[in-house]
Amino acid sequence: MARRLISPAAACRGCGFVNAGFLGAVSSFHYQSLPACSSKQGSSVRNCFSFRADLRKESANFVGKRTSCSVATEPPPAATEKPEMDAPKEIFLKDYRKPDYLFDKVDLQFQLGEEKTIVTSKIVVSPGAEGSISAPLVLHGCDLKLLSIKVNGTELKGEEYTVDSRHLTVSTPPAGVFNLEIVTEIYPQLNTSLEGLYKSTGNFCTQCEAEGFRKITYFQDRPDVMAKYTCRIEADKTLYPVLLSNGNLIEQGDLEGGKHFALWEDPFKKPSYLFALVAGQLGCREDSFVTCSGRNVTLRIWTPAQDLPKTAHAMYSLKAAMQWDEEIADSILPFGFATCQVFGLEYDLDLFNIVVVPDFNMGAMENKSLNIFQSRLVLASPETATDGDYAAILGVVGHEYFHNWTGNRVTCRDWFQLTLKEGLTVFRDQEFSSDLGCRTVKRIADVSKLRIYQFPQDAGPMAHPIRPHSYIKGAEVVRMYKTMFGASGFRKGMDLYFQRHDGQAVTCEDFYAAMCDANNAQLPNFLQCQEVPPTPGQPVKEPMFIPVAVGLVDSTGKDMPLTSVCSDGTLQTLSSDGKPVFTTVLQFKKKEEEFIFKNVPEKPVPSLLRGYSAPVRLDSDLSESNLFFLLANDSDEFNRWEAGQVLARKLMLSLVADYQQQKTLILNPKFVDGLRSILLNTSLDKEFIAKAITLPGQGEIMDMMPVADPDAVHAVRNFIKKELALQLKDDLLAAVTSNRSSEAYTFNHDSMARRALKNTCLAYLASLNEPDVTELALHEYKTATNMTEQFAALAALSQNPGQVREDALLDFYNKWQNDYLVVSKWFALQATSDIPGNVVNVQKLLSHPAFDMRNPNKVYSLIGGFCGSPVNFHAKDGSGYKFLGEVVLQLDKINPQVASRMVSAFSRWRRYDETRQALAKAQLEMIVSANGLSENVYEIASKSLAD
């Protein structure tokens, strides 16, 4: 008998800012996003099963005009003050043009001082296009004091160049190759934006991606201008004994007046955004790594001396990443690899430095051979860091190292191609973490993040195609290449990509061409996953290429062998080296596709989109009984988890409707039984069980509603959580008890899985707020020997208002008040609380002596954390909106980049009821009308208002 799979397909939607689970079952947190997709029900056909995938990716255009934007630093001395900036102009991919001039060599000299820094740049300039007519040389610049400019050794006169708030323009440069020398004066001590060169906690540091280099010197600050750099740094030897930059250390020595210097040379071409400099008082952990060709690489992690003991895991992570990225893994590291990874990429220098800084806008930055990290993504000890911290360090250290090839050796031509370095590298770090842990659990975590923060953004005014800047969304598109071509075909494509483009700045089309050429294949409509036309107001979407991995499950719960499938009149025989095939990838290329499976002996239950083979939202005609069947039997563990999530989402939406109609809430006993069967299944991975029994987040449910109702969703989620805890109490208690351990902390999958299950069960139990459970949580808190279990117990206790909660929070702070990273966790836990009226507590914490508005990590923990509590941020009285509006304006004068991330929480204000819309809109209008507002915040706020 033949069975048909029919799918009417459509298109794909953009990006966002939304809410996720803090401890899954307990409360909420916020993240950001990936490619969104909506879905419609498929039509019923006899002897067939159907689904519809509506996959749309949208770009959001900058709208609105303004008269001025302030710069992102505190006011410099009067001599450098400039007129207000012109209104920012939106840049479109279609307007890209090659640079008129190329920079072949760049020699930088820094004289670091306590009040000012002098920067001298000497650049070898050549024409950008053969035979082109001489054009003005336009250089970017921001917050700079120009001291001199010379061409071929001759200082230019006033009429030969012009300077405005954004550019320095040389009117008539010489024909052919010439030398350009520019001297500028900057003020890192006043630079609170943490972009360009700034001073933080006594050390100098840089952050140049995306446009920070123009705050150091006048330059063609664009990724397609690649040059070889040397950098000489001069500074006081006592204050700044360590002087670091990219590449190899060529020379160092002492100078008069107690100063010293270091000369660095980077032998590889790079764009300006990868330049880095660090100077300060730092100690280092040193190790080495022998590459597959036998070269010895010195590895150093630099941090204040007192933090060196906390760098061991980061060093382990770096060595693991280096080994994994090479051709052969010989299992010399504590974790064995699940696979021998297939990139074959060897590190290309003799030195690799990582520097740890407490004040950093990003998590980390991949500057060539000199990675700079925010402290929380390097520093870890069992007493102060959770399993999540350890996993994040492993992934991010790997990610930044992997950039050495995917981003540094081959970089993006323009920022519209950002996914080519970020999406590709995220895919690589996902594979790395999967090989060192549990692949299914990692996939669930990545897809959850995609749905939690990306899908909602894609449905709002911040929607955009993957070209501009969606890391995980880009990773999903890269993953589709591997899905279609297989591991060996993907490797061939990567090899050809590096062979063709090493040392170049390239486009998504270049990557597509390498993949297809290496496999002698084409993927029709595939680039439309990246080149997305419409956004809100543009309903017509073109069909896109969607690979859908499918299996068929028989009535006994076993996979059916798939022998052949017919599509468009073509019969394809399915086999793998003569062995049966149980999963196949169907290629959806048109608006509607029909696939007919041959030799299917009974009506199957389809297992669709296995492993989440494409970043779409899938709506199917699978019945509730089908979903419970897959939850119990599907061999694809991702789809097993997904079946439970679909059931939970449907249940929650149904109960939300009941709540809104003031009906009595009743929990479906089949749902309870389904979760009980997962909880008690000893054959399943414990971390998978923890994921499978965790309810979808509030934001995910609100995103599925025509009008988001945070109060109803919060009430329903709490009801389900407490009902599950009540009906599964004995099983949950048994899981907590059986997963205790007196062994010393180890970071490996089995130990992490045990702790994850124990902590998830404890969170459920604590929601009951019963004396025996409170005593249990207090016992777990007091006896915990590691931060993972101690903090989880604290989070469980903090669910319920009262003296026990207050005492536990105070005890935790008193114990860890001298560790700023642990204190940030303490801020986040209180900020994300769903306790009614929590905005008052958060406002008080702004004045806490441990909080610092200039530290991005603390801002993200406290203010960002508050935005992740839907019931409080979206409080009906508007108190949450008012709080954020005031904080954004305060923060914008300190660090516009961080402020713009906070204001993004307003971006989907139209998703709520009229009362909330009016309150949120008022705050956005207040922000947009503020004097001296930065470009960063203005762009996000104005887009949100224009939606």
Side-chain angles (χ1 to χ4, degrees):
M1 175 180 282
R3 304 282 174 177
R4 286 189 177 90
L5 172 62
I6 301 176
S7 172
C12 178
R13 197 157 28 218
C15 294
F17 183 118
V18 114
N19 313 314
F22 187 71
L23 274 176
V26 189
S27 62
S28 301
F29 211 71
H30 80 277
Y31 289 91
Q32 294 173 320
S33 60
L34 250 157
C37 323
S38 59
S39 326
K40 296 186 175 68
Q41 179 106 5
S43 55
S44 299
V45 181
R46 172 180 267 179
N47 293 332
C48 78
F49 44 93
S50 63
F51 76 97
R52 183 188 302 254
D54 180 14
L55 178 61
R56 290 179 291 174
K57 306 192 194 301
E58 303 175 348
S59 61
N61 290 336
F62 175 75
V63 290
K65 296 181 179 179
R66 64 189 307 251
T67 57
S68 66
C69 290
S70 67
V71 297
T73 57
E74 292 184 349
T80 67
E81 290 180 357
K82 297 183 177 72
E84 291 180 327
M85 288 186 173
D86 300 328
K89 295 180 180 179
E90 186 173 10
I91 299 172
F92 297 92
L93 176 60
K94 63 181 176 62
D95 296 328
Y96 172 82
R97 52 173 289 179
K98 294 181 179 180
D100 292 319
Y101 294 91
L102 300 179
F103 290 173
D104 301 321
K105 291 182 62 179
V106 177
D107 177 60
L108 297 171
Q109 299 177 28
F110 289 81
Q111 297 175 15
L112 304 177
E114 293 308 285
E115 295 181 359
K116 62 185 178 182
T117 290
I118 305 299
V119 182
T120 302
S121 67
K122 298 178 181 179
I123 308 168
V124 178
V125 185
S126 61
E130 292 184 12
S132 64
I133 300 174
S134 180
L137 172 59
V138 181
L139 307 176
H140 302 100
C142 180
D143 300 347
L144 304 173
K145 180 178 180 180
L146 179 64
L147 299 183
S148 69
I149 176 171
K150 297 179 182 179
V151 170
N152 289 333
T154 301
E155 189 157 355
L156 297 188
K157 299 176 182 177
E159 64 273 14
E160 294 178 301
Y161 67 94
T162 58
V163 180
D164 61 29
S165 60
R166 297 176 186 272
H167 304 98
L168 184 159
T169 303
V170 180
S171 306
T172 54
V177 178
F178 64 93
N179 296 316
L180 176 68
E181 181 178 332
I182 298 173
V183 183
T184 56
E185 185 175 285
I186 58 176
Y187 307 90
Q189 294 82 350
L190 302 179
N191 185 356
T192 62
S193 71
L194 310 185
E195 295 178 284
L197 178 65
Y198 63 93
K199 195 173 181 185
S200 169
T201 59
N203 297 326
F204 286 95
C205 183
T206 56
Q207 171 52 39
C208 293
E209 187 182 1
E211 297 178 343
F213 195 76
R214 64 190 62 188
K215 300 183 81 169
I216 294 174
T217 185
Y218 289 102
F219 203 81
Q220 287 189 119
D221 191 12
R222 46 188 288 175
D224 56 350
V225 175
M226 301 177 71
K228 293 184 178 181
Y229 284 67
T230 59
C231 177
R232 179 186 168 98
I233 310 167
E234 297 180 8
D236 184 283
K237 188 173 184 178
T238 302
L239 296 176
Y240 313 104
V242 176
L243 305 175
L244 304 173
S245 190
N246 309 89
N248 298 314
L249 179 62
I250 302 301
E251 186 182 357
Q252 60 183 332
D254 294 334
L255 300 171
E256 293 181 356
K259 294 186 177 183
H260 69 142
F261 77 95
L263 177 62
W264 293 81
E265 179 182 54
D266 189 346
F268 296 96
K269 292 170 62 177
K270 66 173 178 281
S272 55
Y273 81 85
L274 290 174
F275 171 77
L277 179 153
V278 172
Q281 298 192 29
L282 301 165
C284 82
R285 175 184 293 272
E286 184 169 316
D287 207 326
S288 62
F289 180 82
V290 179
T291 69
C292 56
S293 69
R295 286 191 307 103
N296 191 75
V297 181
T298 299
L299 311 176
R300 294 185 180 131
I301 299 179
W302 299 88
T303 190
Q306 67 270 21
D307 290 329
L308 283 176
K310 295 182 180 180
T311 61
H313 177 64
M315 182 62 80
Y316 158 75
S317 301
L318 175 58
K319 296 178 72 173
M322 296 178 78
Q323 179 180 315
W324 181 88
D325 212 24
E326 292 185 349
E327 183 74 36
I328 299 172
D330 56 13
S331 299
I332 61 169
L333 295 170
F335 291 163
F337 292 125
T339 63
C340 239
Q341 213 8 285
V342 292
F343 290 106
L345 299 173
E346 182 180 354
Y347 186 62
D348 50 13
L349 290 171
D350 297 327
L351 176 64
F352 190 92
N353 284 311
I354 288 176
V355 176
V356 183
V357 295
D359 298 317
F360 201 61
N361 285 337
M362 303 182 178
M365 181 61 205
E366 71 269 18
N367 317 298
K368 180 74 178 185
S369 74
L370 180 54
N371 289 183
I372 299 177
F373 278 69
Q374 186 185 103
S375 303
R376 67 180 179 85
L377 289 170
V378 170
L379 304 181
S381 68
E383 298 78 21
T384 61
T386 65
D387 286 340
D389 295 328
Y390 272 82
I393 291 168
L394 179 75
V396 177
V397 168
H399 177 95
E400 304 307 332
Y401 171 76
F402 299 146
H403 264 309
N404 186 61
W405 280 93
T406 48
N408 296 3
R409 286 286 288 262
V410 183
T411 196
C412 50
R413 185 195 70 179
D414 53 73
W415 293 121
F416 291 96
Q417 320 295 331
L418 184 60
T419 187
L420 195 60
K421 77 179 188 75
E422 292 300 344
L424 180 54
T425 305
V426 166
F427 168 77
R428 277 155 50 72
D429 82 53
Q430 289 176 350
E431 290 294 289
F432 168 62
S433 294
S434 295
D435 278 351
L436 270 71
C438 176
R439 181 164 289 272
T440 298
V441 169
K442 175 59 177 169
R443 188 70 183 131
I444 289 170
D446 292 336
V447 173
S448 297
K449 190 180 295 185
L450 171 72
R451 291 170 173 170
I452 285 165
Y453 81 79
Q454 185 73 52
F455 281 7
Q457 184 178 344
D458 284 352
M462 297 302 108
H464 58 263
I466 64 158
R467 278 185 188 268
H469 63 269
S470 183
Y471 292 6
I472 311 174
K473 178 157 58 176
E476 293 299 317
V477 173
V478 172
R479 188 174 296 278
M480 287 196 286
Y481 282 109
K482 186 175 182 182
T483 297
M484 295 312 306
F485 295 134
S488 62
F490 185 75
R491 168 63 188 267
K492 287 194 295 184
M494 290 294 292
D495 287 348
L496 183 58
Y497 175 66
F498 292 124
Q499 179 184 328
R500 285 179 174 178
H501 301 298
D502 188 10
Q504 297 178 14
V506 297
T507 66
C508 294
E509 285 78 8
D510 293 322
F511 187 80
Y512 171 83
M515 282 289 161
C516 291
D517 291 350
N519 290 279
N520 193 27
Q522 293 296 317
L523 299 176
N525 300 339
F526 190 85
L527 285 178
Q528 286 182 235
C529 291
Q530 308 171 50
E531 203 69 71
V532 182
T535 238
Q538 297 174 293
V540 178
K541 307 286 184 178
E542 295 298 322
M544 294 185 169
F545 178 92
I546 304 174
V548 178
V550 174
L552 305 180
V553 186
D554 68 20
S555 57
T556 68
K558 295 181 179 179
D559 283 344
M560 293 181 175
L562 306 178
T563 59
S564 61
V565 61
C566 183
S567 175
D568 282 341
T570 302
L571 181 66
Q572 179 187 359
T573 300
L574 304 176
S575 65
S576 177
D577 297 327
K579 298 179 181 178
V581 171
F582 298 100
T583 299
T584 189
V585 177
L586 306 178
Q587 299 185 31
F588 288 77
K589 306 171 186 175
K590 300 181 297 186
K591 185 175 182 180
E592 182 170 310
E593 298 271 11
E594 181 181 74
F595 298 90
I596 303 173
F597 289 87
K598 302 285 187 178
N599 304 318
V600 180
E602 63 174 292
K603 184 177 180 179
V605 176
S607 174
L608 305 171
L609 208 67
R610 284 187 159 180
Y612 203 63
S613 58
V616 300
R617 275 185 176 155
L618 175 66
D619 195 9
S620 75
D621 56 5
L622 291 174
S623 66
E624 185 177 281
S625 61
N626 289 152
L627 292 168
F628 277 115
F629 179 80
L630 292 174
L631 176 63
N633 297 288
D634 201 331
S635 65
D636 185 275
E637 286 195 340
F638 176 88
N639 270 14
R640 197 170 187 172
W641 169 81
E642 178 72 332
Q645 292 295 294
V646 172
L647 287 165
R649 290 194 290 266
K650 289 182 175 181
L651 172 66
M652 292 174 75
L653 287 170
S654 174
L655 289 175
V656 164
D658 290 345
Y659 179 88
Q660 291 173 327
Q661 297 170 34
Q662 299 182 337
K663 296 181 179 179
T664 302
L665 301 183
I666 301 174
L667 187 59
N668 185 342
K670 287 186 177 179
F671 185 76
V672 180
D673 291 340
L675 262 61
R676 178 183 284 113
S677 68
I678 293 291
L679 180 60
L680 299 180
N681 191 333
T682 57
S683 67
L684 294 175
D685 178 273
K686 289 183 177 181
E687 192 172 8
F688 173 81
I689 295 174
K691 296 283 187 186
I693 67 173
T694 297
L695 297 173
Q698 296 177 60
E700 191 174 349
I701 302 304
M702 288 195 298
D703 192 48
M704 300 176 72
M705 301 174 66
V707 178
D709 186 342
D711 295 326
V713 173
H714 175 65
V716 163
R717 196 171 188 275
N718 272 357
F719 164 76
I720 297 174
K721 184 174 60 179
K722 290 181 179 179
E723 277 296 304
L724 288 171
L726 187 63
Q727 297 188 44
L728 301 176
K729 183 175 180 179
D730 290 342
D731 298 321
L732 294 168
L733 284 168
V736 170
T737 303
S738 63
N739 284 288
R740 288 183 179 133
S741 175
S742 58
E743 295 180 3
Y745 178 91
T746 54
F747 177 71
N748 58 42
H749 178 69
D750 288 345
S751 297
M752 290 172 61
R754 174 187 60 75
R755 289 188 287 267
L757 180 55
K758 171 178 173 285
N759 294 338
T760 300
C761 293
L762 183 64
Y764 266 112
L765 289 166
S767 69
L768 295 173
N769 199 18
E770 296 176 347
D772 60 329
V773 174
T774 300
E775 283 301 315
L776 172 65
L778 277 169
H779 175 268
E780 297 301 317
Y781 172 76
K782 293 175 181 177
T783 60
T785 59
N786 59 76
M787 181 56 66
T788 303
E789 293 177 305
Q790 184 180 63
F791 193 71
L794 180 66
L797 289 166
S798 71
Q799 294 182 65
N800 306 303
Q803 195 60 45
V804 172
R805 176 183 190 270
E806 299 307 312
D807 290 346
L809 286 170
L810 180 60
D811 178 77
F812 186 83
Y813 177 75
N814 288 338
K815 183 175 183 179
W816 296 109
Q817 59 184 302
N818 294 321
D819 190 308
Y820 63 96
L821 291 179
V822 178
V823 170
S824 287
K825 299 179 193 299
W826 182 76
F827 280 130
L829 182 59
Q830 295 174 86
T832 57
S833 173
D834 289 336
I835 289 176
N838 194 44
V839 66
V840 176
N841 298 324
V842 176
Q843 285 173 323
K844 290 179 181 177
L845 287 171
L846 287 178
S847 302
H848 193 281
F851 181 75
D852 183 357
M853 191 74 82
R854 294 171 183 261
N855 181 278
N857 194 40
K858 291 181 179 178
V859 171
Y860 299 147
S861 295
L862 184 59
I863 301 168
F866 173 75
C867 296
S869 171
V871 73
N872 280 308
F873 176 60
H874 298 290
K876 198 84 171 182
D877 63 0
S879 57
Y881 299 152
K882 185 174 185 293
F883 167 74
L884 182 62
E886 293 171 350
V887 168
V888 164
L889 290 183
Q890 180 184 354
L891 185 59
D892 187 50
K893 298 186 183 304
I894 299 170
N895 190 323
Q897 188 177 131
V898 174
S900 70
R901 295 181 185 180
M902 296 300 100
V903 80
S904 296
F906 282 121
S907 65
R908 303 195 68 214
W909 60 278
R910 295 183 190 273
R911 292 276 299 114
Y912 298 89
D913 57 81
E914 291 183 359
T915 299
R916 288 183 171 92
Q917 284 188 39
L919 292 166
K921 183 180 181 183
Q923 291 301 313
L924 283 168
E925 289 175 338
M926 182 268 293
I927 290 169
V928 167
S929 64
N931 290 327
L933 192 69
S934 72
E935 296 176 17
N936 309 60
V937 171
Y938 178 78
E939 180 179 3
I940 302 298
S942 61
K943 279 183 179 179
S944 300
L945 280 171
D947 175 35

